Amino acid sequence: MASLTDLVNLSLSDTTEKIIAEYIWIGGSGMDLRSKARTLSGPVTDPSKLPKWNYDGSSTGQAPGEDSEVILYPQAIFKDPFRRGNNILVMCDCYTPAGEPIPTNKRHNAAKIFSNPEVAAEEPWYGIEQEYTLLQKDTNWPLGWPLGGFPGPQGPYYCGIGADKSFGRDIVDAHYKACIYAGINISGINGEVMPGQWEFQVGPSVGISSGDQVWVARYILERITEIAGVVLTFDPKPIPGDWNGAGAHTNYSTKSMRNEGGYEVIKAAIEKLKLRHKEHIAAYGEGNERRLTGRHETADINTFSWGVANRGASVRVGRETEQNGKGYFEDRRPASNMDPYVVTSMIADTTILWKP
């Protein structure tokens, strides 16, 4: 008799051409990922060849009950690390039946910015450092922390090893490999300063694909924590007090910044970011004021600053970039719960298109 595990791991390609496509979208809170699956007659590699679909938007906080249909437009395809074979994950964005993007569809506007000829000519590259915290399911207390109590002070946990310093590595490594399998350009992982907190990096990726890849990497991570019976949070300050918050530092460069003389282009771009500091902060994640305090490797939320190799600044330029006279910079302000479509497109808009 087959076990449940045997049936879950059945290979469809042994008996049929049919595949399963898991359609993924962002729900009404702007952070809740939703998904559902459908059967397709055969393998698909081009999102434009996939059928549109719909869902009940009144159940996700995205439409009224009397007119609840929201349409899913497939935008990017990834290999499915859970079902494997020819099965796929499909990142979608959301529209009304009339074809208008719904208010929570942040991808639509981002795609318009990235398709602007001025932006496309600059080939904006992004590397996003996504921090997150793993919580015990029944208590919502960080993984590895004593119930109702606290571990020893921060210091030994960052990139630490050992059963008393590293909590959840099996989840982290499963996620790392699953992202590589899926075709996400995940470039690394590490344990973070607060115990139970981790980071993965996605990039370099170009333009709109950065947002697609980060969202699908988040989806895969939440599916893995579901299997492991652990809760995932992107809260920017999950534990008050003398504990590091969680961010999504965004590394960025354009073709002009990567070419000779790029350091002057970088400095001009940072000056433009300074002039729009308030607008960027407003779009960089809910609850970020609890994280950007001027402590724990952050700059104060109300003050823009930049510096070379300074992790207490709003924007950090690497020592190597300064020495080479070209390269990239890191916007350290985005919170871990930021929308990568919003952040990546806003940085491109401010630094390339906006004329002060």
Side-chain angles (χ1 to χ4, degrees), residues 35 258 354:
S35 76
R258 297 187 293 270
W354 185 58

Side-chain angles (χ1 to χ4, degrees), residues 107-128:
R107 190 188 191 281
H108 179 79
N109 187 59
K112 281 204 292 190
I113 290 170
F114 285 122
S115 61
N116 182 294
E118 271 187 82
V119 176
E122 282 288 356
E123 289 177 20
W125 289 4
Y126 297 91
I128 294 178

Side-chain angles (χ1 to χ4, degrees), residues 82-346:
F82 303 101
R83 295 188 176 105
R84 290 172 285 189
N86 291 321
N87 304 300
I88 54 176
L89 304 176
V90 183
M91 191 65 208
C92 304
D93 61 352
C94 305
Y95 295 80
T96 67
E100 293 295 316
I102 66 171
T104 53
N105 179 354
K106 306 302 182 187
R107 190 188 191 281
H108 179 79
N109 187 59
K112 281 204 292 190
I113 290 170
F114 285 122
S115 61
N116 182 294
E118 271 187 82
V119 176
E122 282 288 356
E123 289 177 20
W125 289 4
Y126 297 91
I128 294 178
E129 305 170 30
Q130 176 68 69
E131 294 179 338
Y132 60 93
T133 309
L134 299 174
L135 305 175
Q136 299 167 56
K137 184 180 171 187
D138 297 325
T139 60
N140 272 7
W141 200 235
L143 207 62
W145 289 37
L147 288 181
F150 295 87
Q154 295 184 150
Y157 310 108
Y158 171 70
C159 298
I161 60 168
D164 58 342
K165 295 182 282 293
S166 176
F167 312 109
R169 190 184 296 277
D170 51 348
I171 292 169
V172 174
D173 210 44
H175 175 250
Y176 194 178
K177 290 177 179 176
C179 284
I180 292 173
Y181 178 94
I184 293 165
N185 194 24
I186 186 169
S187 45
I189 55 102
N190 60 268
E192 268 305 329
V193 177
M194 189 183 89
Q197 196 177 74
W198 293 82
E199 172 183 301
F200 64 88
Q201 302 95 31
V202 172
S205 34
V206 182
I208 196 71
S209 72
S210 177
D212 289 337
Q213 291 186 44
V214 170
W215 274 116
V216 175
R218 285 174 172 178
Y219 173 85
I220 291 171
L221 180 56
E222 191 141 22
R223 284 282 306 274
I224 290 170
T225 57
E226 173 192 320
I227 293 165
V230 168
V231 173
L232 168 67
T233 179
F234 292 108
D235 189 289
K237 187 74 174 180
I239 304 294
D242 199 13
W243 303 98
N244 273 37
H249 300 157
T250 301
N251 298 276
Y252 169 72
S253 71
T254 61
K255 188 186 280 185
S256 300
M257 294 174 191
R258 297 187 293 270
N259 290 342
E260 293 303 320
Y263 193 39
E264 293 306 312
V265 181
I266 287 171
K267 288 194 282 188
I270 292 171
E271 197 55 40
K272 290 170 90 174
L273 288 173
K274 178 183 178 180
L275 294 174
R276 292 186 83 186
H277 178 62
K278 280 186 179 172
E279 293 93 324
H280 278 256
I281 286 292
Y284 274 15
E286 290 288 322
N288 211 7
E289 72 284 349
R290 292 181 282 119
R291 167 181 163 261
L292 295 180
T293 60
R295 297 182 65 216
H296 305 112
E297 301 179 63
T298 70
D300 179 78
I301 194 167
N302 297 309
T303 310
F304 183 90
S305 60
W306 76 277
V308 176
N310 183 359
R311 283 181 161 76
S314 310
V315 170
R316 179 184 69 87
V317 174
R319 190 70 67 193
E320 191 178 11
T321 294
E322 182 190 43
Q323 289 167 351
N324 293 341
K326 59 183 178 181
Y328 70 96
F329 66 82
E330 174 193 43
D331 191 339
R332 296 178 60 81
R333 297 171 295 172
S336 49
N337 59 359
M338 63 80 157
D339 186 328
Y341 293 135
V342 172
V343 169
T344 57
S345 61
M346 194 173 194

Side-chain angles (χ1 to χ4, degrees), residues 42-80:
V44 183
T45 55
D46 179 354
S48 68
K49 300 285 195 292
L50 288 167
K52 291 173 184 170
W53 205 6
N54 65 73
Y55 67 92
D56 170 16
S58 70
S59 295
T60 63
Q62 292 171 297
E66 64 274 10
D67 187 14
S68 65
E69 201 165 279
V70 178
I71 313 302
L72 292 168
Y73 286 32
Q75 298 291 359
I77 292 175
F78 299 86
K79 291 174 70 177
D80 185 340

